[in-house]
Amino acid sequence: MRIIEVKEDKKQYLDLLLLADEQENMIDRYLDKGKMYVLDDNGIKCECIVTDEGSDVLEIKNIATVPDYQGKGYAKSLIDFIVEKYREQYAILQVGTGDSPLTIPFYEKCGFVRSHIIPNFFTDNYDHPIYEDGVQLVDMVYLQRQL
């Protein structure tokens, strides 16, 4: 298993990026300014994009695992890599996600705690309703962990 930084042609992973953020113009907002990593384990299994948000905060903007390989620890391995790589450069790693029973517990298992909410983020910024596990996502929930 190896983790590789992708510096060019990040859109080659668009299908994977769209698993975590289903509207391409939203991905375009952070794709070029972020650092992208892919986890290769006999093929690409997972990707992650992080951005510098200022004030010693690094944010996970997109993280997704190929559906057939979800639940096998790939995303956690990628988060562990990000934590190790950036712990000397940043104080906080944060992630924003929908208030979903599929994602919040995953981040909590990775050491994140709820920080704050941006009301109506999904309804204000996406051109269609976003559903996860049958629940419409409305607010963006931010979680943080110390680095």
Side-chain angles (χ1 to χ4, degrees), residues 1-17 19 36-49 62-70 72 74-75 78:
M1 181 172 70
R2 62 195 182 113
I3 295 171
I4 306 154
E5 183 176 356
V6 178
K7 294 183 179 180
E8 297 176 358
D9 194 20
K10 295 175 184 177
K11 284 259 181 131
Q12 69 180 303
Y13 300 103
L14 186 60
D15 287 349
L16 196 49
L17 292 163
L19 291 175
M36 181 178 201
Y37 299 93
V38 293
L39 185 149
D40 186 334
D41 188 19
N42 296 313
I44 301 302
K45 302 295 193 278
C46 189
E47 64 75 26
C48 181
I49 296 176
N62 189 307
I63 186 166
T65 304
V66 173
D68 287 348
Y69 298 97
Q70 291 175 359
K72 304 202 183 310
Y74 289 118
L78 209 40

Side-chain angles (χ1 to χ4, degrees), residues 17-116:
L17 292 163
L18 287 167
L19 291 175
D21 194 344
E22 61 184 67
Q23 193 166 301
E24 188 174 350
N25 71 329
M26 294 297 284
I27 293 169
D28 290 341
R29 292 182 179 187
Y30 54 78
L31 188 60
D32 288 334
K33 77 173 194 167
K35 290 195 181 277
M36 181 178 201
Y37 299 93
V38 293
L39 185 149
D40 186 334
D41 188 19
N42 296 313
I44 301 302
K45 302 295 193 278
C46 189
E47 64 75 26
C48 181
I49 296 176
V50 293
T51 58
D52 181 337
E53 297 299 308
S55 303
D56 275 344
V57 176
L58 183 69
E59 183 170 334
I60 295 171
K61 289 290 192 180
N62 189 307
I63 186 166
T65 304
V66 173
D68 287 348
Y69 298 97
Q70 291 175 359
K72 304 202 183 310
Y74 289 118
K76 184 177 183 322
S77 293
L78 209 40
I79 288 173
D80 291 344
F81 167 83
I82 298 294
V83 167
E84 283 304 310
K85 181 167 183 63
Y86 291 102
R87 74 171 356 128
E88 300 298 322
Q89 299 167 49
Y90 295 90
I92 294 169
L93 179 62
Q94 76 177 11
V95 62
T97 188
D99 197 358
S100 164
L102 297 178
T103 54
I104 301 286
F106 165 74
Y107 290 116
E108 290 174 339
K109 277 193 246 176
C110 291
F112 290 83
V113 295
R114 287 176 185 253
S115 167
H116 59 284

Side-chain angles (χ1 to χ4, degrees), residues 118-129:
I118 298 178
N120 303 313
F121 179 86
F122 291 98
T123 52
D124 290 348
N125 289 285
Y126 286 80
D127 61 14
H128 63 283

